[in-house]
Amino acid sequence: MKILVLNCGSSSIKYQVFAMEDESVLAKGVVERIGIDGSFLEHKAIISGKETKVEQDVPHHNKGVSLVFDILQDPEFGVLESIEDLKAVGHRVAHGGEAFPRSTPVGEQELEKIKDLSRLAPLHNPHNAAGIQVVRELLPRVPQVAVFDTSFHQSMPEKAYIYPLPYEFYEEMGVRRYGFHGTSHKYVAQLAAREMGQSLDDLKIITAHLGNGASITAIDRGQSIDTSMGFTPLEGLVMGTRCGDIDPAIVPFLQKNKGWDAEKIENVLNKESGLLGISGISNDSRDIEEAAESGHDRAQVAVDIFCYRVKKYIGSYAAAMGGIDAIVFTAGIGENSDIVRSQSLQGLEFLGIEIDQEKNKVRRKMAEISSAGSRVKVFIVPTNEELVIARDTHELVNGPS
Ligand code: AMP
């Protein structure tokens, strides 16, 4: 059974085709610069290894999805005889609010709800919904499934998701903590439990998804009980260009002292802060680590703040769960940076966490990096959000395998 996974952003569409018999990827690619000059599609057929780049005007998502369908049936680069070979399409959807505690098949009602949730995720949900709508028009008989970044965290208790603000903000506007990266946190926790030969239901795990966006989650017996991102993906850890936790009083302070409006402040906190803002050189942790090693002071401060905050969250989640059995690092920085892993865990021996510096040198592959005597297991687990979307889609279309 072949499943297409789509991740529709504001100006891009990422896609992968899976053969669910062995969960292999048949093709993957991206349409970039939708609605902007210079749009193109980059595509790779995995088995043949054939790659192509198609430069073409893509004024809207409709055209983008059509291009993807064309290349998937192309005699040279395609992986499908006919687009009808697709038995389902799974979509990554940013925000499911409280309406979607799990992945769901998408009919008219669900699509309307996803659109309605655009008020909570104005930069993402409208494009996710547009992708669903286009596929409905082009392939009306193919079932579609939405998989939400927020669903996994719907198990958080009130004490973790209610902000200490007037309660009406929650009741009237849905201002609460939702959390994101849910598919990734769930996936890597499941793999770590399997590696430990134990059921997720018996374990207390902290998963650190450290990429350009970063979040950390406390998973108590399979349930997310707290996570660092909140109402939006701006809360929590230091990120590439996002500030994470700051004193909210800084916002009115900037308004008064700089004369900035809401849009300007939002832009600074989302796009000019984090590793980029502190270091002044880059949002990419590779550049920062290199610069820090060659003596760039602010790059070193950026690494130190990033790791210090990861460490503080680990401590607080250990307290929230009353212990930890495993810590999992994933995503670009978590999978690659031995410096960040090592520095974030330094000094946590009192919690039974010790890593083996030799084992920690590994990159981008599943590995246990804790020392033999460490009571808490520490893992690197490469994340695979597309596979989770394909699996959920398969299960919702076919029933559990
Ligand atoms: P993601 O958002 O998961 O794609 O992760 C992007 C982040 O991973 C960027 O900050 C990259 O610099 C970082 N990253 C990727 N490869 C490495 C590496 N080899 N060492 C350190 N950071 C890396």
Side-chain angles (χ1 to χ4, degrees):
M1 176 170 172
K2 297 191 175 71
I3 287 179
L4 173 65
V5 172
L6 285 181
N7 181 355
C8 296
S10 56
S11 65
S12 73
I13 300 174
K14 297 193 187 101
Y15 64 92
Q16 291 195 14
V17 178
F18 285 85
M20 293 313 290
E21 295 71 29
D22 59 357
E23 296 187 333
S24 61
V25 178
L26 299 177
K28 60 162 120 180
V30 62
V31 184
E32 297 257 29
R33 301 183 63 83
I34 298 172
I36 313 172
D37 280 354
S39 31
F40 61 88
L41 170 144
E42 262 175 355
H43 172 87
K44 180 170 187 180
I46 304 299
I47 296 170
S48 68
K50 286 192 174 173
E51 291 180 46
T52 184
K53 182 170 177 179
V54 181
E55 292 183 18
Q56 198 168 328
D57 205 23
V58 186
H60 40 65
H61 285 73
N62 206 318
K63 176 73 184 168
V65 175
S66 302
L67 262 188
V68 173
F69 286 0
D70 289 347
I71 199 77
L72 291 177
Q73 306 169 84
D74 183 86
E76 186 176 1
F77 299 102
V79 292
L80 305 173
E81 298 228 323
S82 145
I83 204 69
E84 307 294 328
D85 291 352
L86 287 178
K87 295 297 176 242
V89 180
H91 294 262
R92 179 179 191 175
V93 179
H95 216 306
E98 290 184 335
F100 296 109
R102 59 191 66 85
S103 305
T104 179
V106 190
E108 192 59 49
Q109 260 187 347
E110 289 77 16
L111 180 55
E112 282 313 306
K113 273 193 202 160
I114 291 169
K115 284 187 193 163
D116 186 45
L117 286 163
S118 296
R119 68 198 156 78
L120 297 178
L123 301 180
H124 296 99
N125 273 40
H127 310 294
N128 307 149
I132 295 170
Q133 194 130 19
V134 175
V135 175
R136 289 180 82 184
E137 286 159 22
L138 298 175
L139 292 176
R141 285 197 304 278
V142 174
Q144 297 194 70
V145 167
V147 178
F148 303 89
D149 275 15
T150 49
S151 293
F152 181 54
H153 303 299
Q154 279 295 301
S155 50
M156 283 193 289
E158 262 188 328
K159 64 185 174 192
Y161 74 72
I162 295 289
Y163 285 113
L165 292 167
Y167 201 78
E168 308 83 75
F169 289 10
Y170 165 56
E171 292 177 309
E172 291 165 11
M173 298 180 287
V175 176
R176 53 157 281 179
R177 308 186 66 254
Y178 292 98
F180 297 86
H181 291 143
T183 43
S184 177
H185 288 292
K186 182 174 160 191
Y187 175 75
V188 299
Q190 281 169 339
L191 282 193
R194 201 170 77 187
E195 199 66 14
M196 292 167 81
Q198 282 181 265
S199 161
L200 198 52
D201 297 343
D202 298 326
L203 294 168
K204 296 172 180 185
I205 299 184
I206 294 175
T207 48
H209 177 112
L210 309 179
N212 203 25
S215 69
I216 184 161
T217 297
I219 303 175
D220 193 355
R221 301 177 191 91
Q223 307 273 306
S224 167
I225 61 131
D226 208 344
T227 190
S228 58
M229 283 179 169
F231 179 58
T232 73
L234 185 57
E235 190 179 340
L237 298 175
V238 175
M239 304 177 222
T241 59
R242 287 176 238 162
C243 58
D245 300 331
I246 56 165
D247 183 341
I250 293 169
V251 172
F253 178 85
L254 290 174
Q255 275 172 322
K256 287 177 201 152
N257 284 275
K258 290 268 200 188
W260 289 349
D261 61 9
E263 202 177 329
K264 170 70 182 168
I265 294 176
E266 209 176 4
N267 202 54
V268 170
L269 301 183
N270 276 289
K271 302 205 172 127
E272 296 175 23
S273 302
L275 293 177
L276 174 65
I278 303 165
S279 70
I281 52 173
S282 173
N283 66 318
D284 190 307
S285 69
R286 280 167 291 202
D287 301 338
I288 308 266
E289 286 180 15
E290 247 176 64
E293 264 167 51
S294 52
H296 190 292
D297 282 346
R298 272 170 55 187
Q300 187 59 56
V301 176
V303 174
D304 291 348
I305 297 174
F306 186 95
C307 297
Y308 180 56
R309 200 167 280 186
V310 173
K311 183 194 292 197
K312 287 207 296 186
Y313 266 100
I314 291 174
S316 69
Y317 287 169
M321 293 194 288
I324 327 170
D325 297 306
I327 296 174
V328 185
F329 287 96
T330 192
I333 301 172
E335 291 168 29
N336 286 293
S337 174
D338 53 330
I339 294 176
V340 166
R341 290 188 299 256
S342 167
Q343 200 174 320
S344 302
L345 300 182
Q346 209 171 33
L348 294 183
E349 294 78 11
F350 77 100
L351 286 175
I353 304 165
E354 259 177 63
I355 60 171
D356 180 316
Q357 295 301 348
E358 271 311 301
K359 291 187 193 164
N360 185 36
K361 285 187 180 144
V362 75
R363 278 182 198 283
R364 270 211 192 283
K365 62 175 192 184
M366 175 89 194
E368 187 191 328
I369 57 167
S370 33
S371 65
S374 180
R375 198 171 44 69
V376 176
K377 303 279 179 222
V378 183
F379 295 98
I380 301 168
V381 181
T383 193
N384 192 342
E385 289 161 285
E386 292 77 15
L387 177 59
V388 179
I389 296 170
R391 280 181 183 164
D392 279 12
T393 303
H394 186 246
E395 189 172 316
L396 282 166
V397 170
N398 282 343
S401 46

